[in-house]
Amino acid sequence: MLSCDAVGGNNYSRWCNKDFDTLVTNARQITNQDERVNDYVQAQQIFKEQLPWTTMAHSVVTVFTAPNVVDYKISPLGSIRFDGVKVE
């Protein structure tokens, strides 16, 4: 949601930081947990310095569906999406 490639898509803040992008992309590919954590920590530091948005708590949201509706997921951005949803 914060990648440069997602600007104009899911990156609603339109924030792009190449260093952040590189760290997160690398961390996803590293199998060594210590190295992975290090990259994520550095990415978080960039996020906290640049502050493209402010993190905050969200309320609990409940969506009622019929028992035969499968794999409906609530979007954290408030949109209603039906991709992947099945009716059995």
Side-chain angles (χ1 to χ4, degrees):
M1 292 176 64
L2 287 174
S3 72
C4 294
D5 289 341
V7 171
N10 286 338
N11 185 344
Y12 295 121
S13 68
R14 295 193 164 115
W15 179 72
C16 174
N17 182 297
K18 296 291 185 183
D19 293 332
F20 178 89
D21 255 15
T22 300
L23 286 164
V24 171
T25 300
N26 288 343
R28 278 189 246 155
Q29 299 170 8
I30 295 172
T31 55
N32 179 295
Q33 186 164 350
D34 291 335
E35 291 176 27
R36 184 181 190 130
V37 166
N38 184 50
D39 280 0
Y40 280 132
V41 166
Q42 288 181 58
Q44 286 177 337
Q45 289 172 338
I46 292 170
F47 177 88
K48 296 290 184 184
E49 289 169 5
Q50 300 280 315
L51 209 59
W53 68 46
T54 300
T55 56
M56 58 188 279
H58 292 277
S59 63
V60 175
V61 177
T62 303
V63 174
F64 295 96
T65 61
N68 60 335
V69 175
V70 179
D71 293 331
Y72 177 79
K73 295 178 180 62
I74 299 171
S75 168
L77 303 174
S79 61
I80 299 172
R81 299 186 54 121
F82 293 103
D83 50 311
V85 176
K86 298 178 210 86
V87 178
E88 296 180 343

